[in-house]
Amino acid sequence: MSTVIKGVPAPGYNPVSASDYIPLEKMREIQLERFIKVVKNAYENVPLYRQRLDEADFDIHSFKSLDDVKRLPFTVKADLRDTYPYGLFARPFKDIVRLHASSGTTGKPIVVAYTKEDLAVWQQTMCRSLAAVGMSKEDIVQNSYGYGLFTGGLGAHYGAEGLGATVIPTSGGNTARQLMLMRDFGVTAITCTPSYFIHLIDEAGKMGIDLRSLPIRRGVFGAEPWTEGMRRYIEEAAGIKAFDIYGLSEITGPGVGCECECQNGLHIFEDHYYPEIIDPETLEVLPDGEEGELVLTTLSKEAIPMIRYRTRDITSIMTEKCPCGRTIRKIARIGRRSDDMFIIRGVNVFPSQIETAILNAEKCLPNYQIVLTRTKGLDNMEVQIELTPEMFSDKVSAMEDLNIKFSKAIEKIINIRAAVRLMPPNSIPRSEGKAKRVVDKRELDK
Ligand code: DLL
């Protein structure tokens, strides 16, 4: 499905990006036209949507402008779980060519499906993502997102291939081998989770490989929240430019949005994904610039249309024009999910706040874990921070000073004192995919 508008030039940019420059009014027309089609598809082919739309008294013939979107009911993750595995499919299996699944923390995974056309759109938005960060067919891309049911591996793979780049499908894991290949194959760009790249930096140091001396220039990191502090660390330690890419299985996978070379906000590929920001309490749509929960509608997905899907990801739609010239809107970096938040002694805390505090306080690796326990009904939070060998000292007073420094930095941001435990190098478990930042033992302890 090509949305390239003839006559809209994108000089100097990869032709795959032409849809990123569609004039605003034209884009709204495309969105409305596709929105109506998607709702029709959902109504006609998915019993749950038919029931919801009838309950909401939504008559498709009354869908005349994007303002009418507000009248559509929301979809939530539980809808996918409740209709497990195939209840939201709008196409028969003869038209479906791939399934992916996202494992939740509890119970059954959610299942997502794609027609051939859906895969073509996904590849296109991934191509546009990689082109936006300056990648091209000249690149040799190491794809260390996990291959399999997770959408990261195949999503990035086909995107890079579509761009004409050379893909090395390493998947996650076997870190020493990854580093050997990166060096020997002259890798110029990597795609993986930011936490896995931190691990690669760490291991490279141990193997005596200086990433800054290798040809690698770009990294496209996503699938989990990461901070500006982490970006600074990665860019300095590896001598690359680090870019943020966003997506979720329910909507397609990676490539719903991606940063451009300006590294300030992620452009949403608005011709395929319609973004809204809502107040998660009142469910009111918020104006651009205000922070709230991101709600996404797939504008071209055939196999599973998603109407006003509540992502739980907290961000805002940015109001300023991007200097890169793209007309598609941007969202601010997603630092947190509404369900990531934990409450400790009445205070709402997000792991990204702890990460910012740690990285502001000291030049250390962003390897940390937050352990929550409950003793006699009282919640305790311990922030375990891994030290680098250089930070480690056998002087007790030096370690105490460091502990106080971290503790104060955390208190400054979240307003409560946290117990800090300094951990020896390599003691916090590494992940090949998404890092586990919070270990909540409160249910177990009571
Ligand atoms: O993580 C898809 C993906 C793969 C995105 C590779 C980017 C790169 P899920 O496993 O379904 O899909 O997880 C989706 O991960 O709702 C966010 O909470 C979080 N997430 C994804 N990208 C980012 C990001 C993939 N750049 C969930 N920043 C989403 C913050 C992110 N959180």
Side-chain angles (χ1 to χ4, degrees), residues 77 101-103 110 126 145 150-153 156 192-194 220-226 243-257 266 309 311-313 333-337 339-340 434:
K77 199 173 208 138
S102 135
S103 51
I110 56 151
M126 268 311 294
Y145 283 119
F150 175 52
T151 53
C192 62
T193 59
V220 189
F221 305 116
E224 61 184 0
W226 54 304
F243 298 95
D244 196 2
I245 186 165
Y246 170 74
L248 60 166
S249 328
E250 298 90 312
I251 294 300
T252 279
V256 170
L266 295 90
Y309 183 71
T311 64
R312 302 274 168 195
D313 293 322
R333 176 185 213 113
I334 291 165
R336 57 200 173 95
R337 286 177 59 81
D339 47 10
D340 255 4
K434 303 181 191 234

